[in-house]
Amino acid sequence: MHRLRSLRLPIAALLLLGGCATGRVPEAIRDPALPSPAVTEVQQRPETFIGQRVRWGGSILDVHNARETTRIEILARPLNSSGEPDDTSRGLGRFIVELPGFKDPAEYPKQRRLTVAGPLVRMETRDVGDYPYPYPVITADAWYLWPNPPPVAPVLPYDYPWYRPWYGPWYGPWSGPWSGPWY
């Protein structure tokens, strides 16, 4: 019985930390049960999907602020099970999301990943270069701006603990009277 009392605090701490790990991402973004059609399906048959709730995500292409909303153009990407867009995959089409209020373009920069959930409200045609492109428009009621991944350190070709070319023959892990020059 005494052992169970001593384990109460560590178990409570683990549960609390586990809840914090997923607490920031909204449930509508994490929920993979929301069946979402592909952007290309919506572009081909928009009347079938208008009013349907979708969960899409991708890379930000552009941000436009209006008086009461912010319109963000996104290049759709496949989502993993937690709703995070996969940057390494090809784009699946473009869509526009409308967020309420002002969103600073400095906080929503190009190429940042964003996942949104909300109803599909209409289609808009805009030019991409000289091509008229049909954009599905979502009014988001849940969204999550994913943090940038940490930078990866480059791997040096001879990055062993015992090889550093700047050491020279008299420095390094084998320096000493038995490994130095013998005069």
Side-chain angles (χ1 to χ4, degrees), residues 14-58:
L14 283 175
L15 290 174
L16 182 65
L17 289 175
C20 292
T22 59
R24 293 180 34 214
V25 181
E27 181 64 33
I29 300 300
R30 285 185 285 143
D31 184 16
L34 182 63
S36 295
V39 174
T40 53
E41 284 183 74
V42 173
Q43 290 171 332
Q44 294 168 358
R45 297 177 291 132
E47 64 281 346
T48 308
F49 300 104
I50 298 294
Q52 183 177 338
R53 187 170 171 74
V54 296
R55 178 183 76 144
W56 287 342

Side-chain angles (χ1 to χ4, degrees), residues 96-121:
I96 294 174
V97 61
E98 293 180 338
L99 301 178
F102 174 79
K103 304 297 180 228
D104 194 339
E107 291 181 12
Y108 288 77
K110 291 182 179 183
Q111 299 305 317
R112 189 81 180 265
R113 296 167 301 145
L114 179 69
T115 304
V116 298
L120 187 62
V121 292

Side-chain angles (χ1 to χ4, degrees), residues 133-149:
Y133 191 86
Y135 284 90
V137 180
I138 300 171
T139 302
D141 50 28
W143 64 90
Y144 186 72
L145 185 64
W146 296 92
N148 286 330

